[in-house]
Amino acid sequence: MLKLVITRLLQGVVVLLVVSALTFWLLAAAGGDALTSLSGDPLISQSALVELRHVYGLDQPLGVRYLHWLAELVRGRMGYSFNLHAPVVTIILPRLGRTFLLAVVALAIAWTVALSLGALAARRRGSWLDRLCEAVVLLTASLPRIVLALAALALVARTGLFKLGAAELSPMRVFITALVLAMPLIALFLAQTRAGLGAALDEEFVRVARAKGLPERTVVLRHALRAALNPLITIFGYSLGSVVGGSIIVENVLGWPGLGALIVEAVRTRDVPLVMGVVLVTATAVLMGNLLADILLRLNDPRLRATDGAIRTTTTGAHAA
């Protein structure tokens, strides 16, 4: 397990370097910088703009600017926001907490709905409940998040469930925003739970458990569900990227003060240090989600741990030979 963690962390460092370099290059290729908006201001002379670009290092070659940003990152600093005039870390951390809260609640909603309905549908295949699950999967997979966010916005505007644009994070605001974010995940998790659990219930070990007289609830939850969990755990790791990507739309429509709304403003103003900070944090979150999924897979399935042990034994034997 330790070797797996170390390997994934080293791979993650390489991925983050590639992602950061690519993001830095794309921002430069898009044209403009944080001072471009000042070029049309009659109160600021061109000589003053040239001086400001020199002060902020914007007149240096792209590679030099990237290496300077990377050196600051190694020292534990993400730079200084041109637009908000504050260290990037102090800007990102509060919003990261809000986006993380939204992601956790959205994943909890998706898992709860998927496991509950999926388990019932798998036990009653062909019933009205099974057909209802098919309809839920079709509906939640077909509706884009922008449509769901606009529907939630209209609902909130009519009912006043919470104040749009308000700073406080009420439980109702958290739930509705997370529900919109969770809808596509419900389709993904529910379809996999229904199919995986249905296949597991037909396996020989489930029939043996039933023949021993175990209660059906125990058979489903302790035997069949564990066998069907591996694909769900894998999907969970990749779904973190979907949650973060989808939060950009949802947060902007519903006025959620998280990373999604922040990065849109940062890209619009060409605030490179702030964009780089948000991209780095979100990419790290996705990598950590995949690492967590790998660990959970091995905790759930002893065969994977045995495979890792066999690989280590084979490698050791080859080196000894």
Side-chain angles (χ1 to χ4, degrees):
M1 187 74 74
L2 180 59
K3 184 178 180 180
L4 170 71
V5 172
I6 294 174
T7 302
R8 291 291 186 268
L9 289 177
L10 292 176
Q11 292 173 346
V13 171
V14 175
V15 170
L16 289 177
L17 284 173
V18 173
V19 168
S20 64
L22 183 60
T23 304
F24 211 92
W25 177 80
L26 288 173
L27 287 171
D33 55 40
L35 301 178
T36 301
S37 60
L38 299 178
S39 59
D41 192 335
L43 300 177
I44 300 178
S45 65
Q46 289 300 315
S47 60
L49 284 176
V50 170
E51 181 64 25
L52 284 173
R53 284 196 169 89
H54 178 72
V55 169
Y56 288 112
L58 298 176
D59 57 345
Q60 296 179 349
L62 178 63
V64 174
R65 280 182 281 152
Y66 175 71
L67 290 176
H68 177 72
W69 174 84
L70 195 60
E72 288 293 299
L73 182 66
V74 171
R75 296 188 185 100
R77 298 189 291 265
M78 288 187 175
Y80 198 84
S81 170
F82 295 126
N83 187 44
L84 299 179
H85 309 292
V88 170
V89 173
T90 62
I91 298 170
I92 286 179
L93 284 180
R95 290 178 175 261
L96 174 62
R98 298 183 194 117
T99 296
F100 182 74
L101 171 65
L102 200 62
V104 169
V105 176
L107 287 170
I109 292 173
W111 273 86
T112 301
V113 173
L115 292 178
S116 301
L117 290 181
L120 292 173
R123 291 172 58 189
R124 297 174 176 84
R125 279 170 283 184
S127 66
W128 66 269
L129 185 58
D130 192 23
R131 291 191 292 272
L132 175 63
C133 284
E134 290 182 355
V136 170
V137 170
L138 180 62
L139 180 64
T140 52
S142 302
L143 288 175
R145 279 198 176 103
I146 181 65
V147 175
L148 294 169
L150 290 173
L153 182 65
L155 175 66
V156 171
R158 285 182 174 274
T159 60
L161 292 173
F162 58 83
K163 292 182 180 179
L164 293 170
E168 68 272 9
L169 306 181
S170 63
M172 182 56 68
R173 186 180 188 184
V174 174
F175 176 76
I176 290 179
T177 310
L179 181 62
V180 173
L181 197 58
M183 283 297 182
L185 299 178
I186 290 175
L188 187 63
F189 291 162
L190 180 55
Q192 184 59 55
T193 302
R194 180 171 164 268
L197 194 54
L201 288 172
D202 292 332
E203 293 289 340
E204 181 67 26
F205 68 88
V206 172
R207 288 195 290 268
V208 171
R210 283 173 173 158
K212 291 180 179 178
L214 295 177
E216 186 65 15
R217 181 183 180 88
T218 302
V219 171
V220 173
L221 296 180
R222 293 188 58 184
H223 297 276
L225 182 59
R226 185 172 184 181
L229 270 182
N230 278 5
L232 283 170
I233 293 173
T234 303
I235 293 173
F236 161 75
Y238 289 107
S239 66
L240 285 179
S242 174
V243 171
V244 173
S247 70
I248 296 176
I249 296 173
V250 176
E251 289 182 8
N252 278 278
V253 173
L254 295 178
W256 182 268
L259 289 179
L262 180 64
I263 195 170
V264 170
E265 180 64 19
V267 171
R268 188 184 66 81
T269 58
R270 295 294 191 272
D271 196 338
V272 174
L274 189 53
V275 173
M276 294 298 295
V278 175
V279 168
L280 192 69
V281 167
T282 52
T284 302
V286 173
L287 291 171
M288 290 298 101
N290 291 332
L291 174 60
L292 179 60
D294 284 335
I295 294 173
L296 292 176
L297 279 172
R298 280 154 179 79
L299 292 176
N300 180 66
D301 194 340
R303 293 172 299 178
L304 293 176
R305 296 198 300 271
T307 301
D308 291 341
I311 292 174
R312 286 195 300 270
T313 301
T314 303
T315 305
T316 304
H319 284 305

